[in-house]
Amino acid sequence: MTSPSPSSRKSLSKIACNRLQKELVEWELNPPAGFKHKVTDNLQRWVIEVNGAPGTLYAGETYQLQVDFPEHYPMEAPQVIFIPPAPLHPHIYSNGHICLDILYDSWSPAMTVSSICISILSMLSSSPAKQRPADNDRYVKNCRNGRSPKETRWWFHDDKV
Amino acid sequence: MASEASDSKTKPTETQSSSSSSANGNGDAGEFECNICFELAQDPVITLCGHLFCWPCLYRWLRLHSHSHECPVCKALIQEEKLIPLYGRGKNQTDPRSKPVPGVEIPNRPAGQRPATAPPPEASAVPNFGFGLGGGFLPVMIGGFGNLGLLAGFCGFLPSMLSIQINNFADARPTYGTTSGYARGFSGGYHDRDFPRASETNQGAQAEDNRLVLILLIVMFLVIFSCMW
């Protein structure tokens, strides 16, 4: 699977455009709790503010998600990363990459930005400790030249967090 | 990119202005939106797990993008030959989704699997006819015996028992059908082979009786004839 870096990425197909507009309308009518879409001109890149859920380790903290859509969205998963500083979490690398199966192998075209957001908030909320993944430094070094997390061969080993 | 940016700039405001109407529409049309493109399903197909898709959307997902044949909504296994096409009344306009992606031919969606037609309504309108082929034959045989009975009468050998048996047949006759006689009796017999029904059991018992009587008659006539010759 190749996914060019956002700058050289192809523009959205008509199907992708239509679907994203539908998602945006739905988001505006019924946004997922704890998220705020920061309106920009760019339909292909959404920036979303995440508020840590009350009663969790991330309560009161705010982070930013960047969602980039490929040409053939929703057939291909969007690229979702935290804009650094990323939350301290055993599955979130310091460069903002997120180890979450639905963003890669388990993506399904029936998922939406909204459902991704809920999954990410759920992942944050179930964290037992604020810490980086064990292989954080090695991984981040490998990604130096702006590699997309979609090019990483992820290993989803932990189904608890 | 630039043109697209301006595009996306104008469109959200457009959709916002129409959002109230689409929100109202969602309640009705949302049920029939493809789970992949979120538009009203075009060439709709439904999975065994009940999820609706445009055929082109599902085809592209299964053949080009997914690694496994799973339902995008619930991950149930999808077999293409078990998809059910939905045939509405309207004729589809050509839709951008059916336009092939360069190099991708989307075949016709799987055809519906059509069970046999329902039994014709007249079959249930003639519950009295026939008890299998035997039932169909009986009236004809009676005709034959009527002649034999006449013959026997000529010979002066008509025992009282014989007339009783013939009366018995006459009584049984209404169960074959009261309207058009023997021909209907035959057709009734054929229908009944296809659609056995409960009334057959008591009528069948009577048919059994009649058959025994027939055999008895035949034996009697054989005896009579052998005596005559």
Side-chain angles (χ1 to χ4, degrees):
Chain A
M1 197 187 288
T2 57
S3 82
S5 65
S7 56
S8 66
R9 202 181 28 204
K10 286 192 183 166
S11 57
L12 296 173
S13 69
K14 186 144 176 28
I15 296 173
C17 220
N18 286 342
R19 201 188 115 149
L20 277 174
Q21 270 158 16
K22 287 214 157 206
E23 282 197 50
L24 196 56
V25 169
E26 214 165 294
W27 177 294
E28 277 156 5
L29 287 172
N30 185 23
F35 294 90
K36 192 164 171 281
H37 176 242
K38 296 176 92 176
V39 183
T40 63
D41 290 347
N42 193 348
L43 192 63
Q44 198 165 8
R45 171 174 285 177
W46 292 21
V47 178
I48 296 166
E49 221 172 73
V50 191
N51 291 305
T56 68
L57 291 176
Y58 306 90
E61 297 173 16
T62 301
Y63 298 96
Q64 289 198 320
L65 279 172
Q66 177 181 288
V67 187
D68 285 292
F69 299 94
E71 181 191 4
H72 292 300
Y73 179 80
M75 294 300 175
E76 293 162 14
Q79 175 197 294
V80 184
I81 57 170
F82 276 102
I83 299 173
L88 276 169
H89 185 281
H91 297 165
I92 300 172
Y93 292 86
S94 57
N95 62 357
H97 290 194
I98 306 165
C99 177
L100 179 63
D101 61 349
I102 58 157
L103 298 179
Y104 313 106
D105 302 16
S106 300
W107 167 254
S108 137
M111 292 175 185
T112 62
V113 181
S114 182
S115 73
I116 292 171
C117 285
I118 291 165
S119 292
I120 289 174
L121 190 61
S122 158
M123 191 183 94
L124 281 179
S125 301
S126 58
S127 170
K130 280 185 159 184
Q131 60 184 42
R132 289 279 174 230
D135 59 341
N136 184 68
D137 292 347
R138 186 163 49 91
Y139 177 75
V140 172
K141 205 188 280 178
N142 278 339
C143 293
R144 275 276 164 76
N145 47 4
R147 201 173 73 166
S148 162
K150 291 179 75 182
E151 288 168 61
T152 303
R153 190 165 295 163
W154 295 96
W155 178 48
F156 307 105
H157 57 96
D158 182 1
D159 55 3
K160 289 182 205 69
V161 180
Chain B
M1 195 76 178
S3 67
E4 178 199 302
S6 64
D7 218 27
S8 52
K9 191 175 188 176
T10 53
K11 271 183 181 156
T13 51
E14 241 172 62
T15 46
Q16 262 170 346
S17 64
S18 68
S19 66
S20 58
S21 64
S22 80
N24 292 339
N26 267 352
D28 307 322
E31 296 270 284
F32 302 102
E33 280 173 8
C34 165
N35 277 289
I36 292 179
C37 68
F38 294 5
E39 305 274 353
L40 199 64
Q42 175 240 341
D43 280 355
V45 291
I46 198 155
T47 57
L48 285 184
C49 46
H51 295 115
L52 179 71
F53 302 94
C54 303
W55 167 243
C57 289
L58 188 62
Y59 180 85
R60 276 189 204 121
W61 169 248
L62 293 179
R63 293 294 184 93
L64 304 179
H65 296 278
S66 89
H67 305 290
S68 51
H69 272 212
E70 282 177 351
C71 171
V73 178
C74 71
K75 294 186 184 290
L77 186 73
I78 291 184
Q79 291 167 278
E80 273 179 37
E81 66 277 10
K82 290 197 176 159
L83 291 172
I84 299 163
L86 297 188
Y87 300 129
R89 200 178 69 87
K91 182 79 198 87
N92 285 322
Q93 303 289 310
T94 49
D95 187 282
R97 285 163 289 181
S98 62
K99 296 259 164 63
V101 175
V104 180
E105 280 284 319
I106 295 188
N108 289 333
R109 58 186 160 160
Q113 291 161 38
R114 189 169 173 274
T117 48
E122 56 199 302
S124 55
V126 287
N128 281 333
F129 287 148
F131 350 103
L133 274 179
F137 280 125
L138 275 174
V140 181
M141 307 275 287
I142 294 164
F145 280 114
N147 290 341
L148 285 179
L150 271 179
L151 241 174
F154 270 112
C155 299
F157 278 105
L158 195 65
S160 60
M161 185 190 159
L162 183 58
S163 63
I164 291 164
Q165 300 301 347
I166 288 176
N167 281 343
N168 192 359
F169 277 115
D171 289 342
R173 208 172 290 168
T175 60
Y176 301 129
T178 49
T179 46
S180 58
Y182 304 147
R184 291 292 291 273
F186 262 108
S187 68
Y190 282 112
H191 279 303
D192 198 65
R193 270 209 316 178
D194 292 336
F195 310 107
R197 52 198 77 251
S199 63
E200 191 185 2
T201 47
N202 48 18
Q203 289 184 342
Q206 206 173 359
E208 201 62 34
D209 281 355
N210 290 341
R211 233 167 280 171
L212 284 175
V213 169
L214 259 181
I215 293 167
L216 195 77
L217 280 172
I218 291 167
V219 170
M220 274 178 59
F221 277 109
L222 283 176
V223 169
I224 290 166
F225 277 114
S226 63
C227 290
M228 284 171 67
W229 296 116

